[in-house]
Amino acid sequence: MVKAYKQEYTYKHPWDRVTSASWKKFADAENKRTLSHILEVDTLNHKLDTSTGKLYTTRAITVHAPGPWFIRKIVRQDVCHCVESTVVDAQARSMQLTTNNISLEKFIEVEEKIRYDPHPENPNGWTLCRQETSIRIKPLSALASMAEKVEQRCAEKFVQNSAKGREVMERICKYLEAESKGISI
């Protein structure tokens, strides 16, 4: 069984501001309080392809993911390590992030894809964020009957954390907007 969901969100900010906010969302102390489930973010690799102008980055993200008590008993850890791969095409004004868990993969597979593009109704002023997440509990005799419920709980947690991420992105975008106008916040 796979639990998947899609969300769309419109940032009332231009693409360059939203993508700048995306890079900064894990760095600020205030954001760390809001995104307290993110324990650590490290850049592993970044490369600019000079022939295409695309930026490729890979980051390691450590997430506090305690899950239900019975899952903790089985997996014996409440930290999940993930890899985020990002491709930024500034010329096409597109940013795509794909995140997969690399720990706990014996028990659960999670893939999150986020894409930022200029909004078709206002390409110079707004940014459309499309997010797709799939969660699959791997069949275990101890979890087989509970897999759907666990996937649902995980999906609900992802939706809650996505809302926190959008809150942080909005705050950073407003800060960047004020900064570009020479206003101090």
Side-chain angles (χ1 to χ4, degrees):
M1 181 82 191
V2 174
K3 180 70 180 171
Y5 71 91
K6 295 180 181 183
Q7 297 184 97
E8 283 192 1
Y9 183 77
T10 300
Y11 289 98
K12 305 279 174 124
H13 301 278
W15 179 85
D16 57 337
R17 185 177 302 144
V18 171
T19 55
S20 292
S22 178
W23 292 115
K24 296 176 184 222
K25 77 178 178 182
F26 298 128
D28 183 71
E30 185 174 344
N31 299 341
K32 287 181 181 179
R33 284 190 295 277
T34 304
L35 302 174
S36 59
H37 62 289
I38 304 295
L39 302 177
E40 192 170 347
V41 178
D42 295 301
T43 300
L44 303 175
N45 185 29
H46 58 91
K47 180 184 121 186
L48 179 62
D49 184 333
T50 55
S51 64
T52 63
K54 292 181 181 178
L55 174 66
Y56 297 87
T57 65
T58 306
R59 298 195 294 184
I61 301 175
T62 303
V63 180
H64 180 245
W69 66 269
F70 57 90
I71 298 292
R72 288 194 310 266
K73 270 199 158 314
I74 294 168
V75 301
R76 294 194 166 100
Q77 73 183 77
D78 62 357
V79 172
C80 183
H81 301 283
C82 303
V83 172
E84 175 192 83
S85 301
T86 305
V87 179
V88 179
D89 185 342
Q91 191 172 19
R93 296 197 318 162
S94 175
M95 180 178 191
Q96 300 175 53
L97 302 91
T98 302
T99 307
N100 297 89
N101 64 302
I102 58 170
S103 66
L104 305 176
E105 70 276 359
K106 290 188 291 187
F107 306 104
I108 185 170
E109 288 179 351
V110 177
E111 180 177 69
E112 179 183 46
K113 294 181 178 183
I114 299 175
R115 183 178 173 118
Y116 298 104
D117 295 296
H119 196 287
E121 293 177 21
N122 186 354
N124 294 319
W126 298 349
T127 303
L128 182 59
C129 172
R130 292 183 181 101
Q131 178 184 17
E132 297 178 26
T133 304
S134 66
I135 302 161
R136 183 171 79 91
I137 300 297
K138 297 212 175 159
L140 299 168
S141 58
L143 289 178
S145 64
M146 301 278 308
E148 191 171 339
K149 290 178 184 173
V150 172
E151 289 168 348
Q152 180 62 37
R153 177 69 178 116
C154 290
E156 290 167 1
K157 197 69 170 162
F158 264 84
V159 169
Q160 291 169 0
N161 289 338
S162 294
K164 291 177 184 179
R166 287 190 302 273
E167 176 188 327
V168 165
M169 292 280 292
E170 285 287 358
R171 185 172 38 241
I172 295 170
C173 284
K174 288 176 182 165
Y175 171 80
L176 292 171
E177 180 180 25
E179 188 178 69
S180 72
K181 294 177 179 177
I183 302 169
S184 175
I185 296 182

